[in-house]
């Protein structure tokens, strides 16, 4: 008799504990994505205006360990340095899928519009448009740049006015080398020269590309991955 009563009590305690655990998990599923989205809005908001942010995760308890299934962010205008942009991307390394966009982003001296960023696991891709006026504003005075071609993860340009300390007109190529985005003159006499445009210990640049736009500007893209 006593054994039967003890077993019954044990079963009730187990049932109550299970119900409580399920209630906690349901509560976490409801609350944690909102908290995570608020955190993302705060992080991105340090650099400008955030229009919306959402986080998906199941079970939501994964968010406690910095993991999520998908993050979607829409921003207005942002302003940050190349190092800050790399840090922001690195902070999302635990997310399986990221889709982010911004109306405009100023990275250093370069103003970009229609910015789109996607992350699939460790693979990264960013796209943006740049107008002729923004290209001129980002270059030193007296320097002009014209797209000569793009393909195979490389961008070929012709720089007029001065490049690598040489006056006149010079063909150059931008591409990923050893995980960094670099530019090199194509003239054999200056083949050993190299200008690093972007480098980060957490991001490995794989390739870049550019497509001319009707207004004279360009649509730029870069692919990379987490190291």
């Amino acid at each position: 008799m006593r054994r039967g009563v003890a077993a019954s009590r044990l079963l009730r305690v187990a049932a109550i504990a299970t119900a409580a655990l399920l209630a906690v998990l349901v509560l976490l599923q409801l609350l944690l994505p909102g908290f995570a989205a608020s955190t993302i809005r705060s992080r991105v908001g340090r650099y400008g205006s955030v229009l919306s942010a959402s986080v998906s995760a199941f079970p939501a308890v994964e968010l406690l360990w910095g993991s999520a299934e998908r993050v979607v962010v829409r921003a207005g205008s942002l302003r940050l340095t190349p190092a800050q942009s790399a840090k922001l991307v690195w902070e999302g390394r635990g997310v399986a899928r990221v889709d982010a966009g911004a109306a405009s982003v100023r990275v250093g001296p370069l103003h970009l519009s229609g910015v789109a960023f996607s992350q699939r696991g460790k693979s990264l891709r960013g796209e943006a448009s740049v107008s002729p006026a923004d290209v001129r504003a980002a270059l030193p005075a007296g320097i002009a740049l014209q797209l000569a071609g793009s393909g195979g993860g490389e961008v070929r340009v012709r720089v007029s006015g001065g490049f690598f300390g040489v006056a006149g007109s010079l063909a150059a190529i931008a591409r990923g080398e050893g995980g960094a985005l670099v530019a090199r003159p194509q003239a054999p006499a200056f083949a050993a020269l190299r200008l690093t445009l972007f480098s980060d210990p957490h991001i490995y640049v794989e390739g870049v590309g550019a497509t001319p736009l009707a207004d004279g500007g360009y649509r730029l893209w870069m692919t990379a991955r987490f190291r």
Side-chain angles (χ1 to χ4, degrees):
M1 183 68 177
R2 292 181 179 178
R3 290 182 180 179
V5 172
S8 178
R9 289 178 179 176
L10 184 60
L11 287 174
R12 285 199 296 271
V13 170
I16 292 172
T18 300
L21 178 59
L22 288 174
V24 170
L25 291 176
V26 170
L27 189 61
L28 288 175
Q29 191 67 45
L30 292 173
L31 297 180
L32 283 180
F35 290 147
S38 178
T39 299
I40 291 172
R41 282 194 294 268
S42 177
R43 287 179 178 177
V44 180
R46 291 177 293 189
Y47 308 109
S49 61
V50 180
L51 305 179
S52 65
S54 64
V55 178
S56 302
F58 187 85
V61 71
E62 291 181 350
L63 295 171
L64 297 176
W65 286 271
S67 300
E69 293 175 5
R70 189 183 183 191
V71 170
V72 178
V73 181
R74 295 290 177 262
S77 177
L78 303 176
R79 186 185 186 103
L80 63 173
T81 66
Q84 288 171 333
S85 63
K87 178 183 177 182
L88 199 59
V89 170
W90 177 246
E91 288 176 347
R93 62 191 180 278
V95 182
R97 177 177 178 179
V98 176
D99 293 289
S104 66
V105 176
R106 182 173 290 277
V107 183
L110 184 61
H111 178 263
L112 304 168
S113 62
V115 178
F117 169 79
S118 63
Q119 174 189 327
R120 301 293 184 268
K122 290 187 176 183
S123 298
L124 313 169
R125 181 182 177 90
E127 296 185 23
S129 297
V130 58
S131 69
D134 291 329
V135 172
R136 289 193 296 270
L139 294 173
I143 302 297
L145 183 147
Q146 182 178 8
L147 179 65
S150 177
E154 302 177 343
V155 173
R156 298 177 298 280
V157 299
R158 180 159 290 279
V159 183
S160 303
F163 193 58
F164 290 102
V166 180
S169 179
L170 187 66
I173 187 169
R175 63 190 178 196
E177 289 187 10
L181 177 59
V182 303
R184 291 181 180 275
Q186 290 187 284
F190 306 103
L193 296 178
R194 163 177 156 154
L195 175 65
T196 299
L197 304 176
F198 173 81
S199 179
D200 185 86
H202 301 304
I203 297 175
Y204 188 99
V205 176
E206 296 178 329
V208 291
T211 303
L213 298 176
D215 65 355
Y218 308 101
R219 184 68 178 174
L220 311 175
W221 60 261
M222 182 172 79
T223 57
R225 59 179 169 81
F226 288 129
R227 294 180 187 266

